[in-house]
Amino acid sequence: MTRVRITALFLVFLAPAGAQTFERLSGTGLPDVTWAPAWGDYDRDGRLDLAAYSGSGRTELFRNRGDGTFEGVAGAAGISAVGRAHAWADFDGDGWLDLYVVVQNGPNHLYWNNRCGAFLEMAGPAGVAGSADTDFNASWADFNSDGLCDLYVTGIAGARLYRNLGDRSFADVTEETGVRGARDAFAPAWGDYDGNRRADLFLDHVQGADGRSRLFRNRGDGAFDEVGEAAGVSRANFPYGAGWADYDNDGWLDLFVAMQQVERNRLFRNRGNGAFDDVSATSGVRPSGRRSWGGVSWGDYDNDGWIDLAVGDLSGPDQLFRNLGDGRFADRSVEEGIDQTLPGSSLVLADPDGDGRLDLMSSGGGLYANRGAGGHWLAVRAIGNQSTKDALGTRILVTAGGRSFLREIQSGSSYAGQAGIPGLVHFGLGDAATVSRLEVRWPSGETTVLAGLAADREVTVIEAGPGNTRVGRDVRVDLTPSLAVVFSAVRAPGTTELSALQDTPPAPAGYELIPWDPEDAGSLGFRIETTAEVEGSVTLLVRAPAGGDEPALVQWQPDGSGQLLGSSPWCPAPGWLAGSAPGAGLFAVARPALPVSVRIEPEVLERSSFRKDAVVTAFVTLPPQVAPGDVDASAWVLSGARALSQHAAGERLVLKFLRRDLSIESGTEVTLVLSGRTTSGRALSGSDRVRVR
């Protein structure tokens, strides 16, 4: 059954009449000058984060704090490339976005997301490090509809198509697929222009004998036919950026190509029969005296139901073309507040603050916040099951207010910047406050239809299909967005029993390690139910146990040593997915205990040469965030003692315990550890050294 998640309603505040739509922001933690911006929610907190190059000497990763500011975390995340282009995608289907970085001089980088805030660089082993010559850009798509993200990279030596093999590696299939590398191609733009649920490819800048662009139509058998001239789009000579969108709301993807200097911008309107009309001269996308050299980003910034166009420009401010709804566009750059003094070349429209209005990230001006009033809106987050996890190539059709709108989920397809966000699209709805129909057409052939949705919110749609989906050599069992656990050498179908072969390793200080099983919390083993045959590995996303504890994986090595892996603060170590260990166990791991200040006074009840029994009084000062009433009175434990009573004395708690065998030697200091728990399940811990005379 299809699941739908409705997020909180975001309020859209009205702007004063005549006010500019965009306001350049400062104090956000983002630099004013960036290159190749790419938005993606890498930590899965529901907020868009940014990868970009800012002249710092490496690619920066800016984590969205959710309060309008960002923090640079590239160093902690293990990202050190000097990138000229960035593209997010979940290439291994584990539910977490990975990052491909095109490096101008040197091998490219593929950063695998380890699911806990850091990345492992693996372009070399994966086979996508690129050529020794300069590469320009990259774009992700599932060209063969096998549920895996494939990669297309352009550069001086030619463009290359890498097919995802499903085992975290790729094969160069450029020649056999017919997308033979064209020299000096800049921005590959994937889009299903003929509506057959297969990804087609426009290659926007080709220098060679004919000096024309190319359109590769996907035949559906793993190969492409070059149809640029027949389709009428090959005349785009010397372009630097391209992007697909349905600008006239007729249900077909149209193509915009940004031209640098030999020719001016071109807009090709899709007829719906495999051919295009060049409407460049009448559409208004050719402002006089301007050079378009850079990123292309489509998005309905004023939420009026007509998708608008932003284009990078090396001769001045970025170009913002407002869609007038009659086939024409108007350059509204200056009027809307896009006024950077530095020329821009890469830019992206996105909604990092989640208010339903698309903001603009510009390479020449930083972040511009959208302050416009606009109309209603809808954000759709799609999660693939049989299709790619980030739903690349999925077409989403919305009907609202008697009008229909089309979006396609993409990643890449713009010069030196990512136009499109994996798994996420935005619709402006104009005056329509209700979506009468939402239709999601997955590349797998599945279709999901929802009806009667309120506007001004985000809706999450999950592709229908079995709980386990065969993808290459992996079976993915998706229960909840929590922790991905991979078990090697598992055969299915049926029920596979996994159990620990070694004793439980000790937990780090301040943590509690508990065997976890959804059905039997006392068991070291657990089951994986599978419905597809597989020999290789099974990836299981597990649900965190109640009470705030986090799941963690313990994997035992052949030498008998145990390795603790999983969610924060224990991240999977490099290479932990490889090889085969003789056993595995899933455990619930309690978070670190909050420290409490403890003063302990023992009162001896009975003394002998062998023991000292005592009533122990513990005076406890709680941390500032915990009030006495927030403490579970029955949860206090003192080393080897039995609780007698608890009461509050001002800001402190007074606890009494009966402790036997406190010490067998007179004058010996003893450390007593006190632990407790709040009513919400958070652990409390403290200790004191006492001497019994």
Side-chain angles (χ1 to χ4, degrees), residues 96-153:
W96 298 79
L97 287 182
D98 312 296
L99 180 65
Y100 190 77
V101 180
V102 177
V103 179
Q104 182 162 355
N105 295 306
N108 300 329
H109 295 272
L110 175 61
Y111 287 103
W112 173 73
N113 190 333
N114 75 354
R115 313 174 189 94
C116 46
F119 294 81
L120 174 65
E121 205 290 305
M122 54 179 299
V128 292
S131 67
D133 296 311
T134 298
D135 285 332
F136 294 133
N137 211 346
S139 191
W140 295 93
D142 180 11
F143 82 90
N144 56 352
S145 302
D146 64 352
L148 297 167
C149 297
D150 308 301
L151 179 66
Y152 198 72
V153 181

Side-chain angles (χ1 to χ4, degrees), residues 39-402:
W39 293 100
D41 181 11
Y42 82 92
D43 54 1
R44 290 181 29 163
D45 63 357
R47 300 187 291 263
L48 292 179
D49 312 296
L50 181 70
Y53 177 69
S54 61
S56 61
R58 70 179 181 192
T59 288
E60 292 290 345
L61 178 60
F62 298 98
R63 181 179 175 272
N64 191 333
R65 291 193 177 108
D67 59 359
T69 65
F70 296 77
E71 59 177 330
V73 296
I79 294 177
S80 59
V82 182
R84 63 173 296 147
H86 309 93
W88 294 99
D90 178 11
F91 82 90
D92 61 346
D94 64 356
W96 298 79
L97 287 182
D98 312 296
L99 180 65
Y100 190 77
V101 180
V102 177
V103 179
Q104 182 162 355
N105 295 306
N108 300 329
H109 295 272
L110 175 61
Y111 287 103
W112 173 73
N113 190 333
N114 75 354
R115 313 174 189 94
C116 46
F119 294 81
L120 174 65
E121 205 290 305
M122 54 179 299
V128 292
S131 67
D133 296 311
T134 298
D135 285 332
F136 294 133
N137 211 346
S139 191
W140 295 93
D142 180 11
F143 82 90
N144 56 352
S145 302
D146 64 352
L148 297 167
C149 297
D150 308 301
L151 179 66
Y152 198 72
V153 181
T154 62
I156 286 179
R160 297 173 303 283
L161 176 60
Y162 297 101
R163 182 170 68 87
N164 193 328
L165 301 180
D167 58 356
R168 298 179 181 84
S169 69
F170 295 77
D172 188 337
V173 294
T174 309
E175 294 297 326
E176 64 195 71
T177 56
V179 288
R180 279 172 287 280
R183 285 185 56 82
D184 294 329
F186 269 78
W190 292 96
D192 179 13
Y193 79 90
D194 52 2
N196 61 3
R197 304 201 195 198
R198 296 194 291 264
D200 309 302
L201 175 66
F202 177 77
L203 199 55
D204 76 332
H205 178 53
V206 179
Q207 291 185 1
D210 56 7
R212 296 193 174 195
S213 297
R214 299 177 183 178
L215 178 61
F216 295 100
R217 182 179 180 272
N218 194 329
R219 297 202 311 241
D221 60 358
F224 295 78
D225 291 323
E226 204 289 298
V227 297
E229 185 172 356
V233 298
S234 65
R235 294 184 300 278
N237 186 17
F238 214 80
Y240 270 78
W244 296 96
D246 179 16
Y247 79 90
D248 53 359
N249 289 340
D250 66 351
W252 297 94
L253 291 182
D254 310 299
L255 177 67
F256 175 82
V257 183
M259 310 299 291
Q260 194 256 348
Q261 57 187 4
V262 176
E263 295 186 15
R264 295 164 68 188
N265 297 339
R266 288 189 180 271
L267 179 62
F268 298 100
R269 180 181 179 273
N270 193 334
R271 295 179 189 169
N273 61 358
F276 294 78
D277 290 325
D278 188 341
V279 296
S280 311
T282 59
S283 62
V285 296
R286 290 180 164 182
S288 60
R290 302 291 300 272
R291 294 171 58 195
S292 297
W293 183 2
V296 173
S297 184
W298 291 95
D300 188 357
Y301 77 86
D302 54 1
N303 285 339
D304 66 350
W306 297 97
I307 196 166
D308 309 299
L309 175 65
V311 185
D313 191 347
L314 276 180
S315 62
D318 295 322
Q319 300 171 28
L320 183 65
F321 296 103
R322 181 174 183 266
N323 190 333
L324 302 180
D326 59 0
R328 296 179 301 129
F329 292 79
D331 186 354
R332 298 277 298 173
S333 311
V334 177
E335 292 87 345
E336 299 288 27
I338 307 302
D339 60 351
Q340 79 264 25
T341 57
L342 293 174
S345 57
S346 53
L347 79 177
V348 178
L349 286 166
D351 185 18
D353 56 1
D355 66 354
R357 294 170 292 181
L358 295 179
D359 308 309
L360 179 68
M361 188 69 199
S362 166
S363 63
L367 182 61
Y368 287 86
N370 190 332
R371 305 303 191 196
H376 295 287
W377 57 276
L378 184 76
V380 180
R381 187 177 299 273
I383 300 175
N385 189 3
Q386 302 171 73
S387 306
T388 67
K389 201 67 178 175
D390 44 19
L392 294 185
T394 297
R395 295 162 67 89
I396 301 176
L397 294 90
V398 163
T399 302

Side-chain angles (χ1 to χ4, degrees), residues 361-689:
M361 188 69 199
S362 166
S363 63
L367 182 61
Y368 287 86
N370 190 332
R371 305 303 191 196
H376 295 287
W377 57 276
L378 184 76
V380 180
R381 187 177 299 273
I383 300 175
N385 189 3
Q386 302 171 73
S387 306
T388 67
K389 201 67 178 175
D390 44 19
L392 294 185
T394 297
R395 295 162 67 89
I396 301 176
L397 294 90
V398 163
T399 302
R403 294 192 290 167
S404 295
F405 317 99
L406 168 69
R407 301 288 187 270
E408 184 174 288
I409 295 177
Q410 302 169 347
S411 177
S413 74
S414 182
Y415 174 64
Q418 177 178 288
I421 299 171
L424 185 66
V425 290
H426 169 272
F427 292 86
L429 304 177
D431 296 332
T434 302
V435 173
S436 57
R437 179 182 173 88
L438 171 65
E439 181 178 336
V440 182
R441 299 177 183 175
W442 308 91
S444 66
E446 293 284 342
T447 298
T448 303
V449 177
L450 305 173
L453 301 175
D456 303 323
R457 62 190 63 202
E458 179 185 297
V459 177
T460 296
V461 183
I462 301 176
E463 183 180 16
N468 304 319
T469 300
R470 185 172 186 175
V471 180
R473 295 187 301 176
D474 288 357
V475 170
R476 294 202 301 269
V477 188
D478 300 334
L479 303 180
T480 186
S482 184
L483 169 68
V485 182
V486 175
F487 301 95
S488 299
V490 175
R491 290 172 172 80
T495 299
T496 300
E497 298 285 349
L498 296 176
S499 59
L501 301 184
Q502 305 291 336
D503 293 334
T504 301
Y511 289 80
E512 185 179 8
L513 189 62
I514 308 168
W516 182 77
D517 187 321
E519 298 180 358
D520 181 5
S523 170
L524 288 179
F526 55 98
R527 289 196 307 277
I528 296 178
E529 300 286 350
T530 55
T531 59
E533 292 189 4
V534 61
E535 181 174 349
S537 61
V538 172
T539 304
L540 175 67
L541 296 184
V542 299
R543 187 182 305 277
D549 292 344
E550 298 177 341
L553 176 69
V554 177
Q555 193 154 10
W556 283 270
Q557 305 303 319
D559 62 2
S561 62
Q563 186 178 14
L564 193 58
L565 309 167
S567 57
S568 178
W570 297 298
C571 300
W576 77 277
L577 294 177
S580 59
L586 190 64
F587 293 84
V589 182
R591 294 173 295 175
L594 293 173
V596 297
S597 176
V598 182
R599 180 171 61 84
I600 294 177
E601 296 181 356
E603 179 182 351
V604 176
L605 295 179
E606 181 180 351
R607 183 192 303 268
S608 72
S609 58
F610 299 102
R611 74 182 192 189
K612 297 174 183 176
D613 297 341
V615 171
V616 178
T617 303
F619 300 91
V620 182
T621 302
L622 298 171
Q625 64 268 44
V626 179
D630 297 333
V631 178
D632 184 352
S634 64
W636 287 107
V637 176
L638 186 70
S639 307
R642 178 168 61 88
L644 298 177
S645 66
Q646 167 183 315
H647 70 274
E651 296 297 322
R652 295 192 304 177
L653 290 177
V654 180
L655 313 176
K656 289 187 178 293
F657 299 86
L658 175 61
R659 175 65 155 83
R660 298 186 181 277
D661 297 331
L662 188 60
S663 175
I664 61 173
E665 295 182 9
S666 177
T668 301
E669 281 194 346
V670 178
T671 298
L672 297 181
V673 178
L674 178 70
S675 64
R677 189 174 294 274
T678 66
T679 54
S680 64
R682 189 65 189 269
L684 304 170
S685 180
S687 64
D688 191 20
R689 292 181 64 83

